[in-house]
Amino acid sequence: MIVKNRWIIKGAVVLFLLYLFGVAQAEQGKEEDKAVVVLKEVQGEVSALTSNFISIIYERDKEKGIDYEIALPIDENMRLVHKRSLKQIQLGDIVRVKYKEKRKECEEVGEDGTLKRKTKVIERKAAVITFVRPKRPEIGIKGLRTR
């Protein structure tokens, strides 16, 4: 059941990123001169990894059973620290990712007529992936189940 939910969440994250990419491409021309690039950092467990993107679980709420995950596209300019290639990073490894977030501040008029300022994220892209440590081995006694 947990594996099924994880795949549903991963699929939703990928679809959301594709949607953001499409919106960013459509509005790129008019937002290019107003966009600001911010460098951010996240550390967590690798939940998915391809040559095009990395997905990281950065927080777990065990009481609610929710994983908070971020998927970041990877390009050829990405730098890798403590490993030679992405193929050396396994699912479950702990990594720190510095990523560039392009955002735009926009103003909207609220229902009460007041002017509200919002920040809209246009694009995120992994800049540096730092390997922190390998995944922790499953602790259990042979023949017994672990949770």
Side-chain angles (χ1 to χ4, degrees):
M1 186 68 173
I2 294 174
V3 173
K4 183 178 179 182
N5 288 341
R6 207 177 234 180
W7 282 106
I8 291 171
I9 291 171
K10 287 179 186 177
V13 167
V14 169
L15 288 174
F16 179 72
L17 287 173
L18 290 173
Y19 171 76
L20 284 179
F21 181 75
V23 169
Q25 290 295 327
E27 298 179 358
Q28 184 177 10
K30 57 186 173 184
E31 294 179 356
E32 194 68 39
D33 52 328
K34 299 178 185 178
V36 176
V37 177
V38 178
L39 189 64
K40 289 188 160 187
E41 183 176 274
V42 65
Q43 179 173 322
E45 179 183 333
V46 176
S47 60
L49 179 65
T50 68
S51 60
N52 299 329
F53 85 98
I54 185 167
S55 182
I56 300 187
I57 298 173
Y58 59 90
E59 185 179 345
R60 285 201 163 113
D61 188 345
K62 292 183 180 181
E63 292 176 6
K64 295 180 182 178
I66 299 174
D67 291 342
Y68 296 95
E69 185 172 25
I70 185 170
L72 298 165
I74 298 173
D75 66 0
E76 64 278 350
N77 298 326
M78 182 270 311
R79 202 177 85 205
L80 191 59
V81 180
H82 301 304
K83 292 289 183 181
R84 291 187 181 155
S85 75
L86 287 174
K87 293 178 182 178
Q88 293 179 323
I89 296 177
Q90 304 294 318
L91 296 182
D93 288 349
I94 304 300
V95 296
R96 183 179 310 115
V97 179
K98 290 183 183 178
Y99 62 95
K100 294 177 185 176
E101 182 176 86
K102 188 186 280 187
R103 52 168 75 167
K104 176 191 173 200
E105 288 193 21
C106 53
E107 297 175 347
E108 294 180 359
V109 178
E111 293 177 5
D112 56 355
T114 60
L115 193 62
K116 296 180 181 181
R117 183 167 276 201
K118 290 187 171 184
T119 302
K120 179 180 174 185
V121 175
I122 300 171
E123 178 182 42
R124 289 183 177 135
K125 194 170 283 190
V128 180
I129 299 176
T130 305
F131 178 81
V132 176
R133 65 174 170 80
K135 69 178 182 178
R136 295 184 190 249
E138 295 278 337
I139 299 175
I141 301 172
K142 189 174 181 179
L144 296 179
R145 293 185 194 167
T146 59
R147 287 188 174 180

